[in-house]
Amino acid sequence: MEIVLYEPEIPPNTGNIARLCAATKTPLHLVEPLGFSLENKYLKRAGLDYWPYVDVTVHPNWEHFLEHAGDRRIVATSSKQGSRYDRFGFEADDIILMGPETRGLPEQVIASVGHCINLPIWGHVRSLNLSTSTGIILYEAMRQADIFPDIEPGVAHDLAMS
């Protein structure tokens, strides 16, 4: 699986998602324009000292990312439409596409990828935080695709060395 942040705007969210990607060995793609510099102190603080363990690629635009994706399935996210995330059938090679924090994915991007999911919200908020949503979706996708490594709980592992 891979995570794509389309035009992310808030550095701490991207930093938190980078940390999630380091924890799960999930490649992270950032589609420009970014709402911050990659040198931003808040971005680095949120990612802590995990940035060396993040497989991150910055794409100058959406078309460039699509060239990378090739024919792999891209699953867009939305707060307004799509299948409920836990009812969607994730596959091991899926690419999960997250939109910008303040406006979400453009309708033409959602329509172009063909798959869209959402997280249900029944409380008094219009959306969940981007990094929270990404974590929920990634772990559910990995669970469904049965790609969790068999490791002891509570113990950090470098699976490349095991």
Side-chain angles (χ1 to χ4, degrees):
M1 291 199 178
E2 297 182 20
I3 297 292
V4 180
L5 302 183
Y6 179 92
E7 300 181 3
E9 301 166 324
I10 301 173
N13 285 338
T14 299
N16 286 334
I17 293 166
R19 185 175 180 177
L20 170 71
C21 289
T24 59
K25 293 191 173 190
T26 302
L28 175 62
H29 299 270
L30 305 177
V31 177
E32 293 181 319
L34 309 181
F36 49 84
S37 161
L38 291 176
E39 300 303 313
N40 185 293
K41 69 179 180 176
Y42 299 108
L43 175 75
K44 291 185 178 208
R45 184 178 301 145
L48 297 173
D49 55 350
Y50 301 112
W51 279 104
Y53 305 105
V54 181
D55 176 5
V56 63
T57 304
V58 179
H59 301 273
N61 54 48
W62 178 240
E63 292 73 26
H64 187 271
F65 172 74
L66 287 175
E67 288 176 24
H68 160 80
D71 61 356
R72 291 184 50 208
R73 186 167 78 160
I74 301 172
V75 181
T77 57
S78 172
S79 62
K80 300 177 181 87
Q81 62 181 302
S83 304
R84 205 169 85 180
Y85 79 106
D86 59 326
R87 295 179 179 164
F88 182 81
F90 287 99
E91 299 171 4
D93 286 336
D94 281 346
I95 297 171
I96 300 168
L97 173 62
M98 308 298 292
E101 292 91 330
T102 62
R103 52 195 158 87
L105 288 167
E107 188 57 41
Q108 67 270 21
V109 170
I110 293 172
S112 74
V113 300
H115 300 280
C116 185
I117 60 170
N118 72 71
L119 288 167
I121 297 172
W122 53 92
H124 300 285
V125 299
R126 68 180 177 276
S127 64
L128 295 174
N129 176 277
L130 180 66
S131 60
T132 300
S133 298
T134 304
I136 292 168
I137 293 167
L138 178 61
Y139 270 76
E140 173 63 13
M142 293 176 120
R143 182 195 69 78
Q144 284 187 25
D146 196 25
I147 57 175
F148 283 124
D150 188 20
I151 59 173
E152 278 183 60
V155 179
H157 291 272
D158 181 357
L159 297 177
M161 301 182 86
S162 53

